[in-house]
Amino acid sequence: MLLHRIADLRPGEARRVVVAGIWSGCLLTANASLHPLRDAMGVAGGVDTLHWLFTATFLTMLAAVPIFGLAVAKLGRARLVPWVHRTLASNALLFFVVMQGWLGESPAIELWTARVFFVWTSVFNLFVISLFWSVMADLFAGADAKRLFGLISVGGSIGALAGPLLGGALALWADPSVLLVVVAIALELALVCMRAVNANPVGSANADAEPIGGSAFAGLGELLRSPALLSISAYVLLLTTSSTVVYFVQAEIIEREFVDDGTRTAVFAGIDFAVNALTLVLQGLLAGRLIRRLGMGVALAVLPIVTLVGLLALALAPALAPLIAMQVVRRACQYGIAKPAREVLFTAVDRSQRYKAKSLIDTVVYRGGDALTGWAFAGLVALGLGLGSIALVFAPLAAGWIALGLWLGRGHDR
């Protein structure tokens, strides 16, 4: 069987890996469907207000994490995942109602809907994906995760390819808000996959399905007491710093080059499609082999290396073509190699850290980096720096990120 040759599958693993991949595919379809609409709405409110949106997202994360922590403490996996999915699906349908104008139409309503939607989409993205990988770390041991997480991610990339196609098509031929109905359906289909994966547990999966207990704020203490988790936090902080810088540069260039929301959404969707196509190749053919043969250090260092090269390229030519090339390659390496490798790191921590501290890293640390970088970007613009100069300012951080990735990965291998 092809899967056995690609990932060195053991007897009985193929079905669970395929179902987990479909689950990931449903989530990434939902997320990728929202992504171009989110980017277009962020630009619609003015690029000069993006740092405020990132700050609002960070503050929303601060409020949401204790609620999620309480749910983790009280609910087993079989109840936690449906609660998160159906809460977010209800939100999506509410946005659909508002965007259809059923609650009234005015420029103020449209502007604030765009702002709230931008923040909500950022929360959706991090919580639903973080929860999925927490469950995967429950179900697969560390050695198995190194073999299989890249392959499971292939399902996500296949699903993510559908998202930009839907987003681009609906942006040009129909009302993009219909994507929100697609999101609600995808979240419900993901729950069907979750039940199928849990129906065939391996090892301690049944025990891991029990509530974790503890307090809503336990994740913060676990994070601060663990050098390993603090190192992962630093890696994520540098990741989000570089991503936010490139995102702001992208927003500036897209706003300059294109004037209407439909075209901007289509351009964003085209970038996302190219990213997901390349990611699919990296996940299916390279990620697992790279992690097993060259080690976690190399796998975690690939993205910082690509980012450094891309920032230097933007410093020389802050234009549309190099921007698109950098975004496609950088984000493909992020999702195709760095993301599976980073999730493997959480197989080495205990279950409470895997859910509570991990959610804190994936949400508050991630969006905190967004907010800080957003204000730093706005400050550099206020000082009169151009896009190329700003890219050059952040390049040394990417160099330090390379060293951190090598150190963190080699420590995990040991």
Side-chain angles (χ1 to χ4, degrees):
M1 185 179 177
L2 180 60
L3 283 177
H4 288 82
R5 291 199 299 270
I6 292 176
D8 187 26
L9 289 177
R10 311 286 166 75
E13 286 183 336
R15 176 184 174 276
R16 296 178 68 241
V17 168
V18 169
V19 174
I22 296 173
W23 180 359
S24 178
C26 291
L27 298 182
L28 269 294
T29 296
N31 184 58
S33 296
L34 294 171
H35 198 269
L37 183 58
R38 166 189 179 264
D39 289 344
M41 287 193 170
V43 173
V47 175
D48 56 339
T49 66
L50 276 176
H51 58 288
W52 285 105
L53 292 177
F54 278 89
T55 301
T57 300
F58 171 65
L59 295 175
T60 303
M61 290 294 187
L62 285 178
V65 164
I67 298 173
F68 181 77
L70 183 62
V72 169
K74 301 298 183 184
L75 303 176
R77 189 172 64 225
R79 295 170 60 198
L80 175 65
V81 177
W83 177 77
V84 171
H85 280 216
R86 285 172 179 157
T87 298
L88 293 172
S90 299
N91 296 160
L93 294 175
L94 179 59
F95 275 113
F96 172 73
V97 169
V98 174
M99 291 180 186
Q100 289 295 305
W102 295 346
L103 301 182
E105 296 184 7
S106 73
I109 290 177
E110 292 178 0
L111 177 60
W112 280 102
T113 298
R115 289 171 174 171
V116 174
F117 180 79
F118 184 97
V119 173
W120 174 82
T121 305
S122 302
V123 174
F124 171 94
N125 174 20
L126 293 183
F127 267 112
V128 76
I129 303 301
S130 177
L131 179 58
F132 168 79
W133 284 109
S134 292
V135 174
M136 292 300 103
D138 262 357
L139 296 175
F140 296 94
D144 294 334
K146 290 181 180 181
R147 289 187 300 112
L148 302 175
F149 274 13
L151 190 58
I152 290 173
S153 298
V154 169
S157 294
I158 293 174
L161 284 171
L165 291 176
L166 288 170
L170 289 175
L172 297 177
W173 305 107
D175 190 332
S177 64
V178 176
L179 288 169
L180 293 162
V181 178
V182 175
V183 168
I185 294 172
L187 288 172
E188 193 62 30
L189 291 175
L191 292 180
V192 176
C193 296
M194 183 207 74
R195 297 186 193 102
V197 171
N198 286 339
N200 186 24
V202 171
S204 60
N206 279 336
D208 287 340
E210 297 301 319
I212 292 174
S215 73
F217 298 94
L220 178 60
E222 293 173 341
L223 173 60
L224 295 178
R225 290 191 298 269
S226 171
L229 292 175
L230 287 173
S231 299
I232 296 173
S233 296
Y235 185 91
V236 169
L237 191 61
L238 290 170
L239 163 65
T240 187
T241 296
S242 65
S243 298
T244 304
V245 169
V246 178
Y247 182 85
F248 274 67
V249 172
Q250 172 183 276
E252 292 271 5
I253 293 175
I254 295 296
E255 184 186 44
R256 183 179 67 202
E257 297 288 336
F258 306 101
V259 296
D260 65 283
D261 289 344
T263 304
R264 288 169 179 165
T265 302
V267 171
F268 286 129
I271 293 173
D272 287 350
F273 182 83
V275 167
N276 293 319
L278 181 56
T279 299
L280 180 62
V281 175
L282 294 178
Q283 289 170 340
L285 301 179
L286 185 61
R289 289 184 172 90
L290 183 66
I291 293 173
R292 294 198 307 273
R293 296 180 183 179
L294 299 183
M296 290 282 289
V298 173
L300 290 170
V302 168
L303 175 59
I305 291 170
V306 170
T307 300
L308 177 59
V309 173
L311 287 173
L312 294 176
L314 284 177
L316 293 174
L320 185 62
L323 167 73
I324 292 177
M326 178 196 181
Q327 276 289 63
V328 170
V329 176
R330 189 191 66 82
R331 287 173 55 196
C333 288
Q334 177 180 342
Y335 301 128
I337 299 174
K339 176 67 173 176
R342 200 171 86 238
E343 298 301 341
V344 170
L345 296 176
F346 289 100
T347 63
V349 302
D350 66 45
R351 189 163 174 257
S352 180
Q353 294 174 334
R354 192 177 300 151
Y355 280 87
K356 294 181 180 180
K358 183 180 187 301
S359 69
L360 189 64
I361 294 170
D362 288 345
T363 56
V364 172
V365 173
Y366 196 105
R367 289 310 178 198
D370 278 346
L372 290 174
T373 307
W375 283 101
F377 190 96
L380 293 174
V381 171
L383 290 174
L385 272 67
L387 297 181
S389 298
I390 292 174
L392 191 59
V393 167
F394 284 94
L397 290 178
W401 187 20
I402 295 171
L404 177 61
L406 289 169
W407 178 82
L408 185 59
R410 289 170 180 170
H412 178 86
D413 287 337
R414 287 195 297 271

